[in-house]
């Protein structure tokens, strides 16, 4: 027993030494920024987030009606549009549109105004990831459980945790490229979410939903290519190559995940946009391409009209091939 306690004590001592060593590498210019004194606070926030969205939230909402939260979501999404625009502008002015070469750009570790500006926007980008945890909170409160996928949870929890270390060690330089690109994508993404939250009258402006996934894929290609060039440069004095290795892995991994989402949603049609679906009088879904589905079945008569089969219900919906509803005709299955 004494030997075991001694071993545990030694392991704890080594773990503390490693922890102190990791903290010693944090950029001292971030010492006064919120949540940057230790990874413990950030980790506690992310664990609380996971506990709420995966366990506590669904249990609390189990016997409650979903909240609407329309006004809150509109404000939230357009606030993030404005924040993302500001972050992109600050990244550009801090180096990417001024002194950076877009190749081997090292971290400016000085206390010059531009270097401190880059530190500030790098931290602001990380903090925006904490704000974006509200995406999932809204899903839970609105009981949109289908939106809480592995991809969504992993992206919203893994990225803030890793970027805390990224901004702590390397606030700037070529490792910040993917942060700027990510915010460019989020301008478009949260603008879409804001319009979507505004209600049905804005649905006609949301025809480009599936292209958001394409934009995400382009983002990951650009990020991976930018990081890849490091391996082909004759010499590059970038201070933290491990950051670039992780960015390359991150970009490639998420390209695979988002590609799978694209295939499931737009090739196999398992996650069609809401505005691509109309409702029949009996609630059966009618797709704009003329297919009227219920339980995956339909019939077509000689007049080019498709009738949904309802598996035992007495009502079916009729829909013309050109997408117009066949008004007034309800037939028995």
């Amino acid at each position: 027993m004494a030997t075991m306690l001694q071993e545990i004590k030694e392991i704890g001592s080594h773990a503390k030494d490693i922890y102190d060593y990791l903290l010693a590498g944090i950029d001292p210019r971030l010492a006064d920024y919120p949540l940057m004194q230790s990874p413990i606070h950030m980790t506690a926030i992310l664990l609380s987030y996971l506990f709420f969205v995966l366990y506590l939230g669904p249990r609390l909402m189990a016997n409650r009606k979903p909240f609407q939260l329309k006004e809150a979501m509109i404000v939230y999404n357009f606030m993030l549009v404005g924040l993302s625009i500001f972050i992109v502008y600050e990244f550009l002015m801090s180096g990417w549109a001024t002194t950076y070469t877009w190749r081997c750009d090292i971290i400016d570790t000085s206390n010059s105004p531009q270097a401190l500006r880059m530190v500030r926007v790098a931290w602001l980008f990380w903090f925006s990831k904490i704000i974006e945890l509200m995406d999932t909170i809204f899903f839970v409160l609105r009981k949109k459980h289908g939106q809480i996928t592995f991809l969504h949870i992993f992206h919203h929890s893994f990225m803030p945790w890793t970027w805390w270390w990224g901004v702590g060690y390397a606030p700037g330089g070529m490792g910040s490229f993917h942060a700027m690109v990510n915010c460019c994508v989020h301008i478009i993404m949260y603008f879409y979410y804001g319009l979507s939250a505004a209600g049905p009258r804005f649905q006609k402006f949301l025809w480009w939903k599936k292209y958001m996934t394409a934009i995400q894929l382009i983002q990951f290609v650009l990020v991976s290519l930018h990081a890849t060039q490091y391996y082909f440069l004759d010499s590059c004095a970038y201070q933290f190559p491990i950051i670039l290795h992780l960015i390359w892995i991150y970009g490639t991994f998420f390209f695979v995940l988002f590609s799978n989402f694209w295939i499931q949603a737009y090739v196999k049609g398992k996650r069609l946009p809401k505005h691509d679906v109309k409702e029949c009088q009996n609630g059966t879904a009618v797709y704009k391409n003329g297919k009227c589905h219920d339980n995956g079945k339909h019939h077509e008569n000689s007049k080019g009209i498709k009738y949904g089969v309802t598996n035992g219900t007495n009502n079916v919906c009729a829909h013309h091939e050109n997408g117009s509803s066949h008004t007034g005709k309800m037939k028995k299955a």
Side-chain angles (χ1 to χ4, degrees), residues 128-144:
S128 72
K129 301 300 138 190
I130 299 299
I131 297 174
E132 289 168 14
L133 297 178
M134 286 300 301
D135 289 3
T136 325
I137 304 299
F138 280 127
F139 286 150
V140 172
L141 297 180
R142 296 169 63 226
K143 301 184 78 168
K144 300 291 185 179

Side-chain angles (χ1 to χ4, degrees), residues 83-107:
L83 179 60
S84 298
I85 291 172
F86 177 75
I87 291 174
V88 171
Y89 174 78
E90 287 296 296
F91 269 125
L92 291 171
M93 293 300 101
S94 299
W96 288 102
T98 53
T99 58
Y100 281 17
T101 65
W102 294 65
R103 290 181 63 77
C104 179
D105 297 301
I106 64 174
I107 303 165

Side-chain angles (χ1 to χ4, degrees), residues 70 74 78 193-202:
K70 177 180 177 180
I74 293 173
F78 284 111
Y193 291 154
L195 288 180
S196 180
R201 57 180 176 171
F202 291 95

